[in-house]
Amino acid sequence: MTIRVLLVDDQPLLRTGFRLILEAEPDVTVVGEAGDGKAAQDQSRALMPDVVLMDIRMPGVDGIEATRRIVREAVGAAHVPKVLVLTTFDLDEYIVEALRAGASGFLLKDVPPDELVQAIRVVAAGDAIVAPSVTRRLLDRFGARLPSAHQQSTPARLDRLTEREMEVLRLIARGMSNAEIAAELVVSETTVKTHVGNVLTKLGLRDRVQAVVLAYETGLITPGAIP
């Protein structure tokens, strides 16, 4: 399968560099470019890319709002683009907002070419490129700025989960892998995968990173509460 990528960055030189890297790969093709968030939304709608490589800080509509719009438009659609955010700083507070807006992960702009290509493949396959442990570190740093649980209506969503699924969600939010969760609960990895899939489906989440964000937003996990 060829992975269709939309490049979004307000710097033409960076877009050209990314295009050269990606089009050297047999399974990746760049279907379009955009220099701001509004153009990204329009291009995403018209071109239906598999992955949107999205800069955050752009004039006009920024990458966070563009991500939010692209993800919202795709709700219920047969084709859902995955958004991979680019940033200059690995602990940029905007990353938290991007993840909440629906991004499937983030990369530094100086990422080595092979890691960029691999990240795009991972996201296109439906996985999150940011490890939950990294997301947890971000949320521990910036989580105090998230709305508190009593300000959110989302905790009611957790009622859809069984007791075991709630337990799995807590372990995901601690940054644990399927293998680590299996060891913690003394079950097979296959069983864990089933529980994780149920959690994501019932809560309408795209990936594990979104599950970690939700755990913080609902107060299931609080910043700094986990060693």
Side-chain angles (χ1 to χ4, degrees):
M1 182 189 73
T2 299
I3 302 170
R4 297 162 52 82
V5 178
L6 173 63
L7 300 177
V8 184
D9 197 293
D10 62 337
Q11 299 183 47
L13 188 60
L14 278 177
R15 296 201 305 269
T16 298
F18 287 136
R19 178 184 282 273
L20 289 173
I21 292 170
L22 298 179
E23 291 197 333
E25 300 298 322
D27 60 337
V28 180
T29 184
V30 176
V31 295
E33 297 183 17
D36 61 68
K38 176 62 169 61
Q41 181 186 9
D42 294 339
Q43 290 279 65
S44 179
R45 186 188 303 118
L47 300 174
M48 294 192 296
D50 300 306
V51 177
V52 179
L53 199 59
M54 179 78 75
D55 187 21
I56 287 185
R57 303 182 185 189
M58 297 181 291
V61 177
D62 64 19
I64 294 173
E65 179 58 26
T67 296
R68 186 176 293 112
R69 293 180 184 182
I70 289 171
V71 170
R72 185 170 57 224
E73 277 191 356
V75 171
H79 181 81
V80 181
K82 304 295 193 307
V83 179
L84 186 55
V85 168
L86 292 167
T87 181
T88 307
F89 308 104
D90 64 347
L91 276 179
D92 190 329
E93 63 183 285
Y94 292 103
I95 288 299
V96 176
E97 292 302 318
L99 294 174
R100 295 176 68 194
S104 293
F106 72 90
L107 291 172
L108 295 180
K109 282 191 175 181
D110 60 356
V111 62
D114 58 335
E115 291 184 21
L116 170 65
V117 174
Q118 180 59 22
I120 287 173
R121 289 177 178 140
V122 168
V123 169
D127 293 325
I129 196 58
V130 184
S133 57
V134 175
T135 307
R136 202 196 80 203
R137 181 165 58 95
L138 282 164
L139 292 175
D140 276 347
R141 176 163 177 172
F142 301 113
R145 305 182 189 186
L146 297 175
S148 63
H150 67 80
Q151 294 174 309
Q152 294 285 317
S153 59
T154 48
R157 296 167 63 186
L158 300 181
D159 291 341
R160 305 170 190 172
L161 303 182
T162 65
E163 184 175 342
R164 176 46 63 93
E165 289 165 354
M166 281 285 288
E167 193 172 9
V168 168
L169 176 57
R170 289 190 183 92
L171 296 177
I172 291 173
R174 287 172 55 186
M176 297 176 70
S177 66
N178 284 353
E180 290 168 336
I181 293 174
E184 177 79 12
L185 300 180
V186 195
V187 296
S188 69
E189 267 193 73
T190 301
T191 298
V192 172
K193 288 179 182 178
T194 299
H195 287 315
V196 171
N198 289 340
V199 168
L200 299 182
T201 299
K202 288 183 178 182
L203 298 180
L205 304 173
R206 284 165 292 281
D207 50 48
R208 297 167 76 101
V209 169
Q210 294 290 307
V212 178
V213 174
L214 180 67
Y216 274 77
E217 286 187 321
T218 59
L220 188 64
I221 297 293
T222 56
I226 308 171

